Amino acid sequence: MTAQEDPPVDRAYPAAVLFDMDGTLVDTERLWWDAVAEVAAGIGRPLVEADAPDVVGRPVTHTAEHLTVTSNLRASERAGVERALSTAFESKVARQIEPRPGAARLLHELAAAGVSTAIVSASPRAIVDLVCEALGAHLISLTVAVEDTPATKPAPDPYLAAARALDVDIESCVAVEDTWVGLRSAEAAGCAVVVVPSAEAIPPAPGRTIAGSLEHVDLALLASLARRQRARAH
């Protein structure tokens, strides 16, 4: 995890806003799918829609295991599949980092208000650092990559780790996610969640707000969700 200090924040605001990265802040979910499709083709099994639950929002280790098992490869070949996935994804991200609509505006709004922000990702550290620099490292207080916690999404560990590192109560934070895997992680951690779906349809629920785009998310909305979640928790 990497962090930097932030100025004091108005108590009416969220203690922190915790962003998923792929598909939420940057349009990399499609690049991940393309990277997996490329590696899958190389081992002789086309990627199909039925593979989505084991690809979308999943860390490299999970998808590598899925491809190894479904391609009838030897267990000893899994590490090679994992390396191939990481290399293909990193190459694509390095060439094609594209912020999602509204992402830059929202990060600047939060930074101007002194609200801590974090990237909480199931992607490797190398990918997270590339994206953080592209978005503006001065806008992001903390980054959590897949290597930083014993368990990754859908376990709550990454969100809980971000709150601990920022020294804030998780119930006072708002997470911003785009997939079921990430949503389950954030909700299990105990924070309010704004979902900006990318590849999956997700319905509203208590403690969960659906937005069509980050263009529809601002500090006022995030503050109201954090207040509601604190009241629900206490």
Side-chain angles (χ1 to χ4, degrees), residues 104-183:
R105 187 269 312 156
L106 182 55
L107 287 172
H108 278 90
E109 182 180 0
L110 294 169
V115 176
S116 295
T117 57
I119 286 177
V120 181
S121 179
S123 281
R125 169 58 54 192
I127 302 293
V128 173
D129 288 348
L130 272 176
V131 171
C132 186
E133 287 300 319
L135 291 172
H138 63 290
L139 299 173
I140 298 163
S141 312
L142 172 83
T143 58
V144 178
V146 71
E147 299 94 335
D148 294 327
T149 54
T152 190
K153 301 175 185 180
D157 301 45
Y159 280 103
L160 294 173
R164 281 195 302 271
L166 292 170
D167 194 25
V168 295
D169 293 330
I170 192 68
E171 295 88 358
S172 297
C173 298
V174 180
V176 186
E177 273 285 354
D178 73 311
T179 66
W180 275 111
V181 171
L183 173 63

Side-chain angles (χ1 to χ4, degrees), residues 23-199:
T24 300
L25 283 175
V26 287
D27 191 15
T28 48
E29 204 65 73
R30 62 184 175 83
L31 301 181
W32 172 235
W33 182 270
D34 290 347
V36 177
E38 183 180 295
V39 172
I43 57 178
R45 56 94 75 206
L47 197 65
V48 296
E49 279 301 314
D51 292 309
D54 292 290
V55 177
V56 177
R58 292 291 189 175
V60 172
T61 50
H62 180 98
T63 302
E65 178 69 16
H66 172 69
L67 291 182
T68 300
V69 170
T70 57
S71 301
N72 295 315
L73 299 178
R74 296 187 300 275
S76 60
E77 296 178 272
R78 189 192 62 78
V81 174
E82 187 174 328
R83 284 193 299 272
L85 288 170
S86 295
T87 299
F89 186 42
E90 186 172 345
S91 174
K92 292 178 188 301
V93 170
R95 297 194 309 269
Q96 302 178 59
I97 296 175
E98 183 179 338
R100 298 286 291 171
R105 187 269 312 156
L106 182 55
L107 287 172
H108 278 90
E109 182 180 0
L110 294 169
V115 176
S116 295
T117 57
I119 286 177
V120 181
S121 179
S123 281
R125 169 58 54 192
I127 302 293
V128 173
D129 288 348
L130 272 176
V131 171
C132 186
E133 287 300 319
L135 291 172
H138 63 290
L139 299 173
I140 298 163
S141 312
L142 172 83
T143 58
V144 178
V146 71
E147 299 94 335
D148 294 327
T149 54
T152 190
K153 301 175 185 180
D157 301 45
Y159 280 103
L160 294 173
R164 281 195 302 271
L166 292 170
D167 194 25
V168 295
D169 293 330
I170 192 68
E171 295 88 358
S172 297
C173 298
V174 180
V176 186
E177 273 285 354
D178 73 311
T179 66
W180 275 111
V181 171
L183 173 63
R184 288 199 294 271
S185 174
E187 289 186 336
C191 49
V193 188
V194 175
V195 185
V196 185
S198 59

